[in-house]
Amino acid sequence: MKEALIVIGVLMTATACIDETDLALPSARPQIVVDAVISTTASESYLKIGWTSEVNASCTDDFGTTIRCDPGPGSGLHHVNGTARIFESDQVLLAIIPFRMVDKAGETYLDLNISGTPGSTYTLQIDLEYKGDEEHYTARTTMLPTPPITDITYTIRKGDVGKSDNLVPLISFTDPPERNFYLFRLCAQEGGIYCGNSRVWPYSLIADTFLPSNVTNLSIDDGAAIAKYAEFYPRPHPGTGVQVRMYSVDENTYFFYKGLIDQFNNDGGAYTPTPSTPRGNVSGDGIGLFRAIQESRATVYY
């Protein structure tokens, strides 16, 4: 019996050893990332182009171990030569902007300096040349008319025990008869405009499925917060203002933002979906969103 126990102990000791092996993971090809807006205000129209990083460089972590990491901008010798074009109604060329980037890394910001018209359709066309190869991307969106906010007031939402009270805006507007999707951006105003912070993403969404035609004292939802107990609405004190920015958006924009908010609210549990990139409207393997927006804005003070 003693000999059997010794054999079992030897087997357990032998099988408990674990060898560490560095896996040669394949590098991901960088994909273009687009963030573009056509606004009724020319100064708010822009195009940002970036890249998902290719994991092919070597770095050292805090323990001195060599690991794979993302290369920084300018780490290579090749250039991305590109041209962005904006068309209205597929015929009118509104802007043509050349740009250049070092390798497929970093980000470039382009001022479009054009204004859109509600009811019009816009097409973004991006043509690239990289290492002798050509790439072409397109995205299409429609600027939908945003109903004006006809009235804005507020209510004080009492906080739970140990939590502060919050200043919650209530808005009124007329909802058009067709199906509509609304995007809201919430900003605090006190000696300046403050839209969100490092813990709060100041956007929220509403589909008008259950809205009446005359919307009165609507409280937009709480958006999304990275930190569980972060406050979406500002704390009330004399002089505090709450500004609501409202946009009618197309269905694709609605579901793109909804996908982002769902990612924020994903707690990583066994019954939540696996995180994934929200579906945008950039053709091919492009990532991101091109949207056209008309803003309706209202501010209330406490």
Side-chain angles (χ1 to χ4, degrees):
M1 183 66 179
K2 184 181 294 185
E3 293 177 354
L5 291 175
I6 292 175
V7 172
I8 293 174
V10 171
L11 290 174
M12 292 180 64
T13 303
T15 57
C17 296
I18 299 176
D19 293 329
E20 294 186 2
T21 302
D22 292 331
L23 298 178
L25 298 176
S27 296
R29 184 174 64 86
Q31 296 171 266
I32 192 171
V33 180
V34 175
D35 175 17
V37 171
I38 300 295
S39 172
T40 50
T41 303
S43 61
E44 296 177 356
S45 299
Y46 67 86
L47 168 62
K48 287 195 292 186
I49 298 175
W51 305 91
T52 59
S53 294
E54 185 174 7
V55 186
N56 60 0
S58 296
C59 294
T60 302
D61 65 12
D62 295 337
F63 302 98
T65 304
T66 300
I67 59 175
R68 291 170 177 259
C69 64
D70 295 343
S75 62
L77 301 177
H78 300 281
H79 290 86
V80 176
N81 298 302
T83 303
R85 295 177 177 85
I86 305 290
F87 296 89
E88 184 178 61
S89 302
D90 296 327
Q91 298 175 349
V92 181
L93 178 61
L94 297 181
I96 176 170
I97 306 175
F99 62 92
R100 195 180 195 196
M101 303 176 70
V102 179
D103 269 330
K104 290 186 174 181
E107 180 182 88
T108 186
Y109 182 96
L110 306 173
D111 284 314
L112 298 179
N113 197 31
I114 56 177
S115 59
T117 304
S120 297
T121 299
Y122 297 90
T123 301
L124 168 65
Q125 178 181 308
I126 300 174
D127 300 310
L128 305 177
E129 185 275 326
Y130 179 66
K131 293 184 179 180
D133 296 327
E134 294 184 353
E135 300 176 23
H136 306 279
Y137 304 91
T138 59
R140 187 179 175 89
T141 187
T142 299
M143 180 181 288
L144 300 175
T146 300
I149 298 175
T150 56
D151 187 43
I152 183 170
T153 182
Y154 68 86
T155 185
I156 301 299
R157 177 181 293 176
K158 293 295 182 180
D160 297 331
V161 177
K163 303 296 180 181
S164 63
D165 298 341
N166 295 115
L167 185 64
V168 179
L170 306 174
I171 61 173
S172 302
F173 61 94
T174 300
D175 180 45
E178 63 273 8
R179 191 183 187 198
N180 295 286
F181 301 95
Y182 298 112
L183 172 68
F184 298 95
R185 188 179 186 189
L186 185 70
C187 302
Q189 187 160 321
E190 182 184 2
I193 299 175
Y194 184 72
C195 304
N197 54 46
S198 60
R199 300 184 302 162
V200 176
W201 203 53
Y203 293 96
S204 62
L205 293 164
I206 293 178
D208 71 348
T209 307
F210 301 108
L211 289 181
S213 57
N214 293 314
V215 181
T216 303
N217 292 338
L218 174 69
S219 171
I220 64 176
D221 63 41
D222 290 354
I226 300 174
K228 183 176 181 181
Y229 297 107
E231 295 175 342
F232 181 75
Y233 297 107
R235 301 179 182 182
H237 57 82
T240 300
V242 180
Q243 184 181 94
V244 176
R245 302 179 183 182
M246 175 180 173
Y247 314 91
S248 289
V249 296
D250 57 24
E251 187 171 357
N252 193 81
T253 301
Y254 172 83
F255 281 105
F256 181 86
Y257 274 86
K258 185 177 185 302
L260 290 174
I261 291 177
D262 289 344
Q263 301 287 16
F264 279 120
N265 295 331
N266 190 336
D267 61 4
Y271 300 101
T272 54
T274 302
S276 60
T277 302
R279 185 182 65 186
N281 58 0
V282 183
S283 66
D285 60 353
I287 297 174
L289 185 70
F290 173 48
R291 58 207 181 277
I293 54 174
Q294 179 191 21
E295 181 181 280
S296 179
R297 180 184 300 187
T299 305
V300 64
Y301 287 93
Y302 175 63

